[in-house]
Structure formats: C-alpha cells, structure tokens
Coordinates of all heavy atoms in Angstrom, one line a residue:
M29 N -23.0 41.6 -27.9 CA -23.2 40.2 -27.8 C -22.2 39.5 -26.9 O -21.4 38.8 -27.3 CB -23.1 39.6 -29.2 CG -24.2 40.0 -30.1 SD -24.7 38.7 -31.0 CE -24.7 39.3 -32.6
G30 N -22.3 39.9 -25.8 CA -21.4 39.4 -24.8 C -21.9 38.1 -24.2 O -22.0 37.9 -23.0
R31 N -22.2 37.2 -25.0 CA -22.7 36.0 -24.5 C -21.6 35.1 -24.1 O -20.7 34.7 -24.9 CB -23.5 35.3 -25.7 CG -24.9 35.0 -25.1 CD -25.2 33.6 -25.6 NE -26.6 33.5 -26.1 CZ -27.0 32.8 -27.0 NH1 -26.2 32.2 -27.8 NH2 -28.2 32.8 -27.3
R32 N -21.5 34.9 -22.9 CA -20.5 34.0 -22.4 C -20.8 32.5 -22.5 O -21.8 32.1 -21.8 CB -20.1 34.4 -21.0 CG -18.9 35.2 -21.0 CD -18.2 35.1 -19.6 NE -17.4 36.2 -19.4 CZ -16.9 36.5 -18.3 NH1 -17.2 35.8 -17.2 NH2 -16.0 37.5 -18.1
K33 N -20.2 31.9 -23.3 CA -20.4 30.5 -23.3 C -19.4 29.8 -22.4 O -18.2 29.8 -22.6 CB -20.1 29.9 -24.7 CG -21.2 29.0 -25.2 CD -20.9 28.6 -26.6 CE -21.9 27.8 -27.2 NZ -21.6 27.4 -28.6
S34 N -20.0 29.5 -21.3 CA -19.0 28.9 -20.3 C -18.9 27.4 -20.6 O -19.8 26.6 -20.5 CB -19.6 29.0 -18.9 OG -20.7 28.3 -18.6
K35 N -17.8 27.2 -21.2 CA -17.6 25.8 -21.6 C -16.7 25.1 -20.5 O -15.6 25.2 -20.5 CB -16.8 25.8 -22.9 CG -17.2 24.7 -23.8 CD -16.4 24.8 -25.0 CE -16.9 23.8 -26.1 NZ -16.1 23.9 -27.2
R36 N -17.5 24.5 -19.7 CA -16.9 23.9 -18.5 C -16.6 22.4 -18.8 O -17.5 21.7 -19.1 CB -17.7 24.1 -17.2 CG -17.3 25.2 -16.4 CD -17.7 24.9 -15.0 NE -17.1 25.8 -14.2 CZ -17.3 25.8 -12.8 NH1 -18.2 25.0 -12.4 NH2 -16.7 26.5 -12.0
K37 N -15.4 22.2 -18.8 CA -15.0 20.8 -19.1 C -15.0 19.8 -18.0 O -14.7 18.7 -18.1 CB -13.6 20.8 -19.7 CG -13.6 20.9 -21.2 CD -12.3 20.6 -21.9 CE -12.3 20.7 -23.3 NZ -10.9 20.7 -23.9
G38 N -15.4 20.4 -16.9 CA -15.3 19.5 -15.7 C -13.9 19.2 -15.3 O -13.0 19.7 -15.9
A39 N -13.8 18.4 -14.2 CA -12.5 18.1 -13.8 C -11.8 17.3 -14.9 O -12.3 16.4 -15.4 CB -12.5 17.3 -12.5
P40 N -10.6 17.7 -15.1 CA -9.8 16.9 -16.1 C -9.6 15.4 -15.7 O -9.3 15.2 -14.5 CB -8.5 17.6 -16.2 CG -8.4 18.4 -14.9 CD -9.8 18.7 -14.5
R41 N -10.0 14.6 -16.4 CA -9.9 13.2 -16.1 C -8.5 12.7 -16.3 O -8.1 12.2 -17.4 CB -10.9 12.4 -16.7 CG -11.4 11.2 -15.9 CD -12.4 10.4 -16.6 NE -13.7 10.7 -16.1 CZ -14.7 10.0 -16.6 NH1 -14.6 9.1 -17.6 NH2 -16.0 10.2 -16.2
R42 N -7.7 12.7 -15.3 CA -6.4 12.3 -15.4 C -6.4 10.7 -15.2 O -7.1 10.3 -14.2 CB -5.6 12.9 -14.4 CG -4.5 13.8 -15.1 CD -3.6 14.3 -14.0 NE -4.1 15.6 -13.5 CZ -3.8 16.0 -12.3 NH1 -3.1 15.4 -11.5 NH2 -4.3 17.2 -11.9
K43 N -5.7 10.1 -16.0 CA -5.5 8.7 -15.7 C -4.4 8.6 -14.7 O -3.2 8.5 -15.0 CB -5.2 8.0 -17.0 CG -5.7 6.5 -16.9 CD -5.5 5.8 -18.1 CE -6.1 4.4 -18.1 NZ -5.8 3.6 -19.2
N44 N -4.9 8.7 -13.5 CA -3.9 8.8 -12.5 C -3.6 7.5 -11.8 O -4.4 6.9 -11.1 CB -4.5 9.8 -11.3 CG -3.4 10.3 -10.5 OD1 -2.2 10.0 -10.7 ND2 -3.8 11.1 -9.5
I45 N -2.4 7.0 -12.2 CA -2.1 5.7 -11.6 C -1.4 6.1 -10.3 O -0.2 6.5 -10.2 CB -1.2 4.9 -12.5 CG1 -1.9 4.7 -13.8 CG2 -0.7 3.5 -11.8 CD1 -1.0 4.2 -14.9
E46 N -2.1 5.9 -9.2 CA -1.5 6.2 -7.9 C -0.5 5.2 -7.5 O -0.7 4.0 -7.5 CB -2.5 6.3 -6.9 CG -3.1 7.7 -6.7 CD -4.2 7.7 -5.6 OE1 -4.0 7.2 -4.5 OE2 -5.2 8.2 -5.9
P47 N 0.7 5.7 -7.1 CA 1.6 4.7 -6.6 C 1.2 4.1 -5.3 O 0.7 4.9 -4.4 CB 2.9 5.6 -6.4 CG 2.4 6.9 -6.3 CD 1.2 7.0 -7.1
M48 N 1.2 2.8 -5.3 CA 0.8 2.2 -4.0 C 1.7 2.6 -3.0 O 2.9 2.7 -3.0 CB 0.9 0.7 -4.2 CG -0.4 -0.1 -4.6 SD -0.3 -1.8 -4.2 CE 1.2 -2.3 -5.2
P49 N 1.0 2.9 -1.8 CA 1.9 3.1 -0.6 C 2.6 1.8 -0.2 O 1.9 0.9 0.1 CB 0.9 3.6 0.4 CG -0.4 3.1 0.0 CD -0.4 2.9 -1.5
L50 N 3.8 1.8 -0.3 CA 4.6 0.6 0.0 C 5.3 0.7 1.3 O 6.0 -0.3 1.7 CB 5.5 0.3 -1.2 CG 4.8 -0.1 -2.5 CD1 5.8 -0.2 -3.6 CD2 4.0 -1.4 -2.3
L51 N 5.3 1.8 1.9 CA 6.1 2.0 3.1 C 5.1 2.2 4.3 O 4.2 3.0 4.2 CB 7.1 3.1 3.0 CG 8.2 2.9 2.0 CD1 9.0 4.2 1.8 CD2 9.1 1.9 2.6
F52 N 5.4 1.5 5.4 CA 4.5 1.7 6.5 C 5.3 1.9 7.8 O 6.5 1.6 7.8 CB 3.7 0.4 6.7 CG 2.8 0.2 5.5 CD1 3.2 -0.6 4.4 CD2 1.5 0.8 5.4 CE1 2.4 -0.8 3.3 CE2 0.7 0.6 4.2 CZ 1.2 -0.2 3.2
D53 N 4.6 2.3 8.8 CA 5.2 2.6 10.1 C 5.5 1.2 10.8 O 4.6 0.3 10.8 CB 4.4 3.4 11.0 CG 4.2 4.8 10.4 OD1 4.8 5.1 9.3 OD2 3.3 5.5 10.8
C54 N 6.6 1.1 11.3 CA 7.0 -0.2 11.9 C 6.3 -0.4 13.3 O 6.4 0.4 14.1 CB 8.4 -0.4 12.1 SG 8.9 -1.9 12.7
P55 N 5.6 -1.6 13.5 CA 5.0 -1.8 14.7 C 5.9 -2.2 15.8 O 5.6 -2.2 17.0 CB 4.0 -2.9 14.4 CG 4.6 -3.6 13.3 CD 5.3 -2.6 12.5
F56 N 7.1 -2.5 15.4 CA 8.2 -2.9 16.3 C 9.0 -1.8 16.9 O 9.2 -1.6 18.1 CB 9.0 -4.0 15.8 CG 8.3 -5.4 15.6 CD1 7.5 -5.6 14.4 CD2 8.2 -6.3 16.6 CE1 6.7 -6.8 14.3 CE2 7.4 -7.5 16.5 CZ 6.7 -7.7 15.3
C57 N 9.7 -1.2 15.9 CA 10.6 -0.1 16.3 C 9.9 1.3 16.2 O 10.5 2.2 16.6 CB 11.9 -0.2 15.5 SG 11.7 0.1 13.7
N58 N 8.7 1.3 15.7 CA 8.0 2.5 15.6 C 8.6 3.6 14.6 O 8.2 4.7 14.7 CB 7.8 3.2 16.9 CG 6.8 2.4 17.8 OD1 5.8 1.9 17.3 ND2 7.2 2.2 19.1
H59 N 9.5 3.1 13.8 CA 10.0 4.1 12.8 C 8.9 4.3 11.7 O 8.3 3.4 11.3 CB 11.3 3.4 12.2 CG 12.5 3.9 12.8 ND1 13.0 3.3 13.9 CD2 13.4 4.9 12.6 CE1 14.2 3.8 14.3 NE2 14.4 4.9 13.5
K60 N 8.9 5.5 11.3 CA 7.9 5.9 10.3 C 8.4 5.5 8.9 O 9.6 5.6 8.7 CB 7.6 7.4 10.3 CG 7.2 7.9 11.6 CD 5.7 8.3 11.5 CE 5.2 8.7 12.8 NZ 3.9 8.1 13.2
Q61 N 7.5 4.9 8.2 CA 7.8 4.5 6.8 C 9.0 3.7 6.7 O 9.8 3.8 5.7 CB 8.0 5.8 6.0 CG 6.9 6.8 6.1 CD 5.7 6.6 5.3 OE1 5.8 6.6 4.0 NE2 4.6 6.1 5.9
A62 N 9.2 2.8 7.6 CA 10.4 2.0 7.6 C 10.2 0.6 7.0 O 11.1 -0.1 6.6 CB 10.9 1.8 9.0
C63 N 8.9 0.2 6.9 CA 8.5 -1.1 6.4 C 8.2 -1.2 5.0 O 7.2 -0.5 4.6 CB 7.5 -1.7 7.3 SG 7.9 -1.8 9.0
E64 N 8.9 -2.0 4.3 CA 8.7 -2.0 2.9 C 8.0 -3.3 2.5 O 8.4 -4.4 2.9 CB 10.0 -1.9 2.1 CG 9.8 -1.6 0.7 CD 11.2 -1.5 0.0 OE1 12.2 -1.4 0.8 OE2 11.1 -1.4 -1.2
V65 N 6.9 -3.1 1.6 CA 6.2 -4.3 1.2 C 6.6 -4.7 -0.2 O 6.8 -3.8 -1.0 CB 4.6 -4.0 1.2 CG1 3.8 -5.1 0.5 CG2 4.1 -3.7 2.6
K66 N 6.7 -6.0 -0.4 CA 7.0 -6.5 -1.7 C 6.0 -7.6 -2.0 O 5.7 -8.5 -1.1 CB 8.5 -7.0 -1.7 CG 9.4 -5.9 -2.0 CD 10.8 -6.4 -2.0 CE 11.7 -5.1 -1.9 NZ 13.0 -5.5 -1.5
I67 N 5.5 -7.6 -3.1 CA 4.5 -8.5 -3.5 C 5.0 -9.4 -4.7 O 5.4 -8.8 -5.7 CB 3.1 -7.9 -3.8 CG1 2.6 -7.2 -2.6 CG2 2.1 -9.0 -4.3 CD1 1.3 -6.4 -2.8
D68 N 5.1 -10.7 -4.5 CA 5.5 -11.5 -5.6 C 4.2 -12.2 -6.1 O 3.8 -13.2 -5.5 CB 6.5 -12.5 -5.1 CG 7.1 -13.3 -6.2 OD1 6.4 -13.5 -7.2 OD2 8.2 -13.7 -6.0
K69 N 3.7 -11.7 -7.2 CA 2.4 -12.2 -7.6 C 2.5 -13.6 -8.2 O 1.6 -14.5 -8.1 CB 1.8 -11.3 -8.6 CG 1.3 -10.0 -7.9 CD 0.1 -9.5 -8.5 CE -0.5 -8.5 -7.5 NZ -1.0 -7.2 -8.1
E70 N 3.7 -13.9 -8.7 CA 3.9 -15.2 -9.3 C 3.9 -16.3 -8.2 O 3.3 -17.4 -8.3 CB 5.2 -15.3 -10.1 CG 5.0 -14.8 -11.5 CD 6.3 -14.6 -12.2 OE1 7.2 -15.5 -12.1 OE2 6.5 -13.7 -13.0
K71 N 4.6 -16.0 -7.1 CA 4.7 -17.0 -6.1 C 3.6 -16.8 -5.1 O 3.5 -17.5 -4.1 CB 6.0 -16.8 -5.4 CG 7.2 -17.3 -6.2 CD 8.5 -17.2 -5.5 CE 9.6 -17.4 -6.4 NZ 10.9 -16.8 -5.9
K72 N 2.7 -15.7 -5.3 CA 1.6 -15.4 -4.3 C 2.1 -15.2 -3.0 O 1.7 -15.8 -2.0 CB 0.6 -16.6 -4.4 CG 0.0 -16.7 -5.8 CD -1.3 -17.4 -5.7 CE -2.2 -17.3 -7.0 NZ -2.1 -18.4 -7.8
L73 N 3.2 -14.5 -2.9 CA 3.8 -14.2 -1.6 C 3.9 -12.7 -1.4 O 4.3 -12.0 -2.3 CB 5.2 -14.8 -1.4 CG 5.3 -16.3 -1.0 CD1 6.7 -16.7 -1.0 CD2 4.7 -16.5 0.4
G74 N 3.5 -12.3 -0.2 CA 3.6 -11.0 0.2 C 4.6 -10.9 1.4 O 4.6 -11.7 2.2
R75 N 5.5 -9.9 1.3 CA 6.5 -9.8 2.3 C 6.6 -8.4 2.8 O 6.5 -7.4 2.1 CB 7.8 -10.0 1.6 CG 8.6 -11.1 2.1 CD 9.8 -11.2 1.1 NE 10.2 -12.5 1.0 CZ 11.3 -13.0 1.7 NH1 12.1 -12.2 2.4 NH2 11.6 -14.2 1.7
I76 N 6.8 -8.2 4.0 CA 7.0 -6.9 4.5 C 8.1 -7.0 5.5 O 8.2 -7.9 6.3 CB 5.7 -6.3 5.2 CG1 6.0 -4.9 5.7 CG2 5.2 -7.2 6.4 CD1 4.7 -4.1 6.1
A77 N 9.1 -6.1 5.3 CA 10.2 -6.1 6.1 C 10.7 -4.6 6.6 O 10.5 -3.7 5.8 CB 11.4 -6.6 5.4
C78 N 11.0 -4.5 7.8 CA 11.4 -3.3 8.3 C 12.9 -3.1 8.0 O 13.8 -3.9 8.2 CB 11.2 -3.2 9.8 SG 11.8 -1.7 10.5
N79 N 13.1 -1.9 7.4 CA 14.5 -1.5 7.1 C 15.3 -1.1 8.3 O 16.6 -1.0 8.2 CB 14.5 -0.4 6.1 CG 13.9 -0.8 4.7 OD1 14.2 -1.9 4.3 ND2 13.1 0.1 4.2
V80 N 14.7 -0.9 9.4 CA 15.4 -0.5 10.6 C 15.7 -1.6 11.5 O 16.8 -1.9 11.8 CB 14.6 0.6 11.3 CG1 15.3 1.2 12.6 CG2 14.4 1.9 10.3
C81 N 14.6 -2.3 11.9 CA 14.9 -3.4 12.9 C 14.9 -4.8 12.3 O 15.0 -5.7 13.0 CB 13.9 -3.3 14.1 SG 12.2 -3.6 13.5
Q82 N 14.7 -4.9 11.0 CA 14.8 -6.1 10.2 C 13.7 -7.1 10.5 O 13.9 -8.3 10.3 CB 16.2 -6.8 10.5 CG 17.4 -5.8 10.3 CD 17.5 -5.3 8.9 OE1 17.3 -5.9 8.0 NE2 17.7 -4.0 8.8
E83 N 12.7 -6.6 11.2 CA 11.5 -7.5 11.4 C 11.0 -7.9 10.0 O 10.9 -7.1 9.1 CB 10.4 -6.8 12.2 CG 10.6 -6.9 13.7 CD 10.5 -8.4 14.2 OE1 9.8 -9.2 13.6 OE2 11.1 -8.7 15.2
L84 N 10.5 -9.1 9.9 CA 10.1 -9.6 8.6 C 8.8 -10.4 8.8 O 8.7 -11.1 9.7 CB 11.1 -10.5 8.0 CG 10.9 -11.1 6.7 CD1 11.4 -10.1 5.7 CD2 11.5 -12.4 6.5
F85 N 7.9 -10.2 7.9 CA 6.7 -11.0 7.8 C 6.3 -11.4 6.5 O 6.6 -10.6 5.5 CB 5.5 -10.0 8.5 CG 4.2 -10.8 8.4 CD1 3.9 -11.8 9.3 CD2 3.2 -10.3 7.5 CE1 2.6 -12.4 9.2 CE2 2.0 -11.0 7.5 CZ 1.7 -12.0 8.3
Q86 N 5.8 -12.5 6.4 CA 5.5 -13.1 5.1 C 4.2 -13.7 5.0 O 3.8 -14.4 6.1 CB 6.6 -14.1 4.7 CG 6.6 -14.5 3.2 CD 7.8 -15.3 2.9 OE1 9.0 -14.7 2.9 NE2 7.6 -16.5 2.7
T87 N 3.4 -13.5 4.0 CA 2.1 -14.1 4.0 C 1.7 -14.4 2.6 O 2.3 -13.9 1.6 CB 1.1 -13.1 4.7 OG1 -0.2 -13.7 4.8 CG2 0.9 -11.8 3.8
S88 N 0.7 -15.2 2.5 CA 0.2 -15.5 1.1 C -0.7 -14.4 0.6 O -1.4 -13.8 1.4 CB -0.5 -16.9 1.0 OG -1.5 -16.8 2.0
V89 N -0.7 -14.2 -0.7 CA -1.5 -13.1 -1.3 C -2.3 -13.7 -2.4 O -2.0 -14.8 -2.9 CB -0.6 -11.9 -1.8 CG1 0.2 -11.4 -0.7 CG2 0.2 -12.3 -2.9
N90 N -3.3 -12.9 -2.9 CA -4.0 -13.2 -4.1 C -4.0 -12.0 -4.9 O -3.4 -11.0 -4.6 CB -5.4 -13.8 -3.8 CG -6.2 -12.8 -3.0 OD1 -6.2 -11.5 -3.2 ND2 -7.0 -13.3 -2.1
Y91 N -4.7 -12.1 -6.0 CA -4.6 -10.9 -6.9 C -5.3 -9.7 -6.4 O -5.1 -8.5 -6.9 CB -5.3 -11.4 -8.3 CG -6.8 -11.6 -8.2 CD1 -7.7 -10.6 -8.6 CD2 -7.2 -12.8 -7.8 CE1 -9.0 -10.8 -8.6 CE2 -8.6 -13.1 -7.7 CZ -9.5 -12.1 -8.1 OH -10.8 -12.4 -8.1
L92 N -6.1 -9.9 -5.3 CA -6.7 -8.7 -4.8 C -5.9 -8.0 -3.6 O -6.1 -6.9 -3.2 CB -8.1 -9.0 -4.1 CG -9.2 -9.4 -5.2 CD1 -10.3 -9.9 -4.4 CD2 -9.6 -8.2 -5.9
T93 N -4.9 -8.7 -3.2 CA -4.1 -8.3 -2.0 C -3.3 -7.0 -2.4 O -2.6 -7.0 -3.5 CB -3.1 -9.4 -1.5 OG1 -3.9 -10.6 -1.4 CG2 -2.5 -8.9 -0.3
E94 N -3.3 -6.0 -1.5 CA -2.5 -4.9 -1.7 C -1.6 -4.7 -0.5 O -1.7 -5.4 0.4 CB -3.5 -3.7 -1.8 CG -4.2 -3.6 -3.1 CD -5.1 -2.4 -3.2 OE1 -4.8 -1.4 -2.6 OE2 -6.1 -2.6 -3.9
A95 N -0.7 -3.9 -0.7 CA 0.4 -3.7 0.3 C -0.3 -3.5 1.7 O 0.2 -4.1 2.7 CB 1.2 -2.6 -0.1
I96 N -1.3 -2.7 1.7 CA -1.9 -2.3 3.0 C -2.5 -3.6 3.7 O -2.4 -3.8 4.9 CB -3.0 -1.2 2.9 CG1 -3.5 -0.8 4.2 CG2 -4.0 -1.6 2.0 CD1 -2.6 -0.1 5.0
D97 N -3.0 -4.5 2.9 CA -3.4 -5.8 3.4 C -2.4 -6.6 4.1 O -2.6 -7.3 5.1 CB -4.1 -6.6 2.3 CG -5.2 -5.8 1.6 OD1 -6.0 -5.3 2.4 OD2 -5.3 -5.9 0.4
I98 N -1.2 -6.6 3.5 CA -0.1 -7.4 4.0 C 0.3 -6.7 5.3 O 0.5 -7.4 6.4 CB 1.1 -7.4 3.1 CG1 0.6 -8.2 1.8 CG2 2.3 -8.0 3.7 CD1 1.6 -8.0 0.6
F99 N 0.4 -5.4 5.4 CA 0.7 -4.7 6.5 C -0.4 -5.0 7.7 O 0.0 -5.3 8.8 CB 0.7 -3.2 6.3 CG 1.0 -2.4 7.5 CD1 2.3 -2.4 8.1 CD2 0.0 -1.6 8.1 CE1 2.6 -1.7 9.2 CE2 0.3 -0.8 9.2 CZ 1.6 -0.9 9.8
N100 N -1.6 -5.0 7.3 CA -2.7 -5.3 8.3 C -2.5 -6.7 8.8 O -2.7 -7.0 10.0 CB -4.0 -5.1 7.7 CG -4.3 -3.6 7.5 OD1 -3.8 -2.7 8.3 ND2 -5.2 -3.2 6.6
D101 N -2.2 -7.7 8.0 CA -2.0 -9.0 8.4 C -0.9 -9.1 9.3 O -1.0 -9.9 10.3 CB -1.6 -9.9 7.1 CG -2.8 -10.5 6.4 OD1 -3.9 -10.1 6.8 OD2 -2.7 -11.3 5.6
W102 N 0.1 -8.3 9.1 CA 1.2 -8.3 10.0 C 0.9 -7.9 11.4 O 1.1 -8.4 12.5 CB 2.3 -7.4 9.4 CG 3.7 -7.6 10.0 CD1 4.2 -8.7 10.8 CD2 4.7 -6.6 10.1 NE1 5.4 -8.4 11.2 CE2 5.8 -7.2 10.8 CE3 4.8 -5.3 9.6 CZ2 7.0 -6.5 11.0 CZ3 6.0 -4.7 9.8 CH2 7.1 -5.2 10.5
I103 N 0.1 -6.8 11.4 CA -0.4 -6.2 12.7 C -1.2 -7.2 13.4 O -1.1 -7.5 14.6 CB -1.1 -5.0 12.4 CG1 -0.3 -3.9 11.7 CG2 -1.7 -4.4 13.7 CD1 0.9 -3.4 12.5
D104 N -2.0 -7.9 12.7 CA -2.9 -9.0 13.3 C -2.0 -10.0 13.9 O -2.3 -10.5 15.0 CB -3.9 -9.6 12.2 CG -5.0 -8.6 11.9 OD1 -5.1 -7.6 12.5 OD2 -5.7 -8.9 10.9
A105 N -1.1 -10.5 13.1 CA -0.2 -11.6 13.6 C 0.5 -11.2 14.9 O 0.7 -11.9 15.7 CB 0.8 -12.0 12.5
C106 N 0.9 -9.9 14.9 CA 1.6 -9.4 16.0 C 0.8 -9.5 17.3 O 1.2 -9.8 18.3 CB 2.1 -7.9 15.9 SG 3.3 -7.7 14.5
E107 N -0.5 -9.0 17.0 CA -1.4 -9.0 18.2 C -1.8 -10.4 18.7 O -2.0 -10.5 19.8 CB -2.7 -8.2 17.7 CG -2.4 -6.7 17.8 CD -3.5 -5.9 17.2 OE1 -4.5 -6.5 16.8 OE2 -3.4 -4.7 17.2
E108 N -1.8 -11.4 17.7 CA -2.1 -12.7 18.2 C -1.0 -13.3 19.0 O -1.2 -14.0 20.0 CB -2.3 -13.6 16.9 CG -3.7 -13.6 16.4 CD -3.8 -14.3 15.2 OE1 -3.1 -15.2 14.9 OE2 -4.7 -13.8 14.3
Q109 N 0.2 -12.8 18.6 CA 1.4 -13.4 19.4 C 1.4 -12.8 20.9 O 1.9 -13.5 21.8 CB 2.7 -12.9 18.8 CG 3.0 -14.0 17.6 CD 4.2 -13.5 16.8 OE1 5.0 -12.6 17.3 NE2 4.4 -14.0 15.6
N110 N 0.9 -11.7 21.0 CA 0.9 -11.0 22.4 C -0.2 -11.5 23.3 O -1.3 -11.6 22.9 CB 0.9 -9.5 22.2 CG 2.2 -9.0 21.6 OD1 3.2 -9.6 21.7 ND2 2.0 -7.9 21.0
Ligands
ZN229 ZN1 11.1 -1.8 12.7

C-alpha cells in the first residue's frame, strides 16, 4: 500500500512585510543608494535627501504616497528645472 498522499501545502504564506526601499540613486551626484527618503505622515511631508551631495527635496504626501513616489517627484522637479 504505497499510496503516496502528496500533501502539498502550496507556497507557505509568509506575512512578509517588505521593507520599503528607502534609498535611491542620486540624480545629482549619481551615487548609488545615497538618497534617503523620510515620510512624515503627520505633517504630510515627504523628504528626500542625498547623503553625499546634500541635495534635498521636499514634497507633500498623502496616505498613499510611498518612498518611490517622492523620489519620482524629485526627478520630475529636476527635469522641470532644466
Ligand atoms: Zn547626491
């Protein structure tokens, strides 16, 4: 009776809280992972600053805003300036 009961549990459902990527490549000095995003949800402010060249950008955020959005806003703002 070699009945194999393949009890496949499927992929283990891990409650995986992915850490938000908070570091981005700097569009000014081109350093990798040099720009750090901070989100102040109470003040609804998002900030990104480069740890290398000290470039800083600040924008308003809402509850949907993620770090990458702030970074993208920054890039957009940079492009508008040029
Ligand atoms: Zn920089």
Side-chain angles (χ1 to χ4, degrees):
M29 289 222 232
R31 234 224 219 146
R32 255 202 202 168
K33 223 179 189 180
S34 66
K35 215 177 188 183
R36 265 202 162 178
K37 267 191 179 170
R41 209 181 258 181
R42 243 183 273 153
K43 207 173 188 187
N44 199 2
I45 303 167
E46 267 181 49
M48 265 200 299
L50 292 173
L51 291 171
F52 300 93
D53 301 347
C54 180
F56 288 89
C57 67
N58 293 316
H59 268 85
K60 300 252 176 228
Q61 308 279 290
C63 299
E64 193 175 350
V65 172
K66 278 176 190 157
I67 299 174
D68 188 332
K69 291 220 161 130
E70 275 172 37
K71 291 182 188 158
K72 297 198 165 102
L73 272 179
R75 236 170 212 264
I76 182 164
C78 176
N79 293 321
V80 179
C81 67
Q82 313 297 315
E83 273 295 331
L84 184 88
F85 176 74
Q86 197 167 287
T87 188
S88 58
V89 301
N90 59 38
Y91 66 99
L92 288 171
T93 307
E94 286 179 29
I96 184 73
D97 299 319
I98 294 165
F99 178 70
N100 286 334
D101 271 10
W102 192 25
I103 300 297
D104 285 349
C106 296
E107 281 173 359
E108 271 169 34
Q109 275 175 20
N110 291 335

